[in-house]
Amino acid sequence: MKANHLSAQHCQPRKGKTDAVDASQTAELLQQLPGWKLRDDGNAIAKDFRFDDFHHTLGFIAAVGFMANQEDHHPDLEAGYGHCQLTWSTHDVGGLSMNDFICAARVEALLER
């Protein structure tokens, strides 16, 4: 599944372990998302985005926040001068779901514009 195909999808309600993405699916999906890494516990994906200044960092956060609200799937984020780290996981499944990969791809699509 290509990243642009992922970014065209929308999040769906996910409940329970049956909606979790397994390790082989995770590895395959991460290949479509350059720079995204699996967290050590295997329950989240993360990427640190770099910007020239705080102004651009805040603009990125606002765009991600708007998209996340539309998808009703929200990342954890840490931000500082010139960077923002996003972390996606699906608490309802206790790890990763397709929603995390869809949203990561949608973030990448934001940066292509």
Side-chain angles (χ1 to χ4, degrees):
M1 191 175 303
K2 300 276 187 204
N4 61 352
H5 178 71
L6 280 171
S7 68
Q9 295 182 45
H10 293 282
C11 293
Q12 302 297 318
R14 311 285 181 181
K15 299 289 182 195
K17 297 285 185 190
T18 58
D19 285 329
V21 174
D22 67 28
S24 65
Q25 290 173 302
T26 296
E28 181 181 324
L29 291 163
L30 279 174
Q31 289 178 358
Q32 305 303 316
L33 298 167
W36 288 88
K37 304 287 186 208
L38 184 64
R39 298 295 290 259
D40 288 342
D41 64 7
N43 291 327
I45 57 172
K47 183 175 178 178
D48 193 45
F49 295 86
R50 298 290 173 167
F51 303 95
D52 291 335
D53 52 39
F54 194 65
H55 173 77
H56 285 95
T57 304
L58 287 178
F60 174 74
I61 291 168
V64 169
F66 183 81
M67 179 276 297
N69 280 334
Q70 286 186 317
E71 294 300 319
D72 195 25
H73 191 63
H74 304 89
D76 291 331
L77 58 89
E78 294 180 32
Y81 187 90
H83 80 96
C84 178
Q85 181 174 329
L86 294 180
T87 303
W88 294 100
S89 66
T90 304
H91 304 289
D92 289 341
V93 303
L96 290 166
S97 75
M98 282 302 295
N99 289 352
D100 303 308
F101 296 96
I102 290 167
C103 285
R106 291 176 78 81
V107 168
E108 295 297 327
L110 288 172
L111 295 172
E112 293 174 1
R113 295 179 181 168

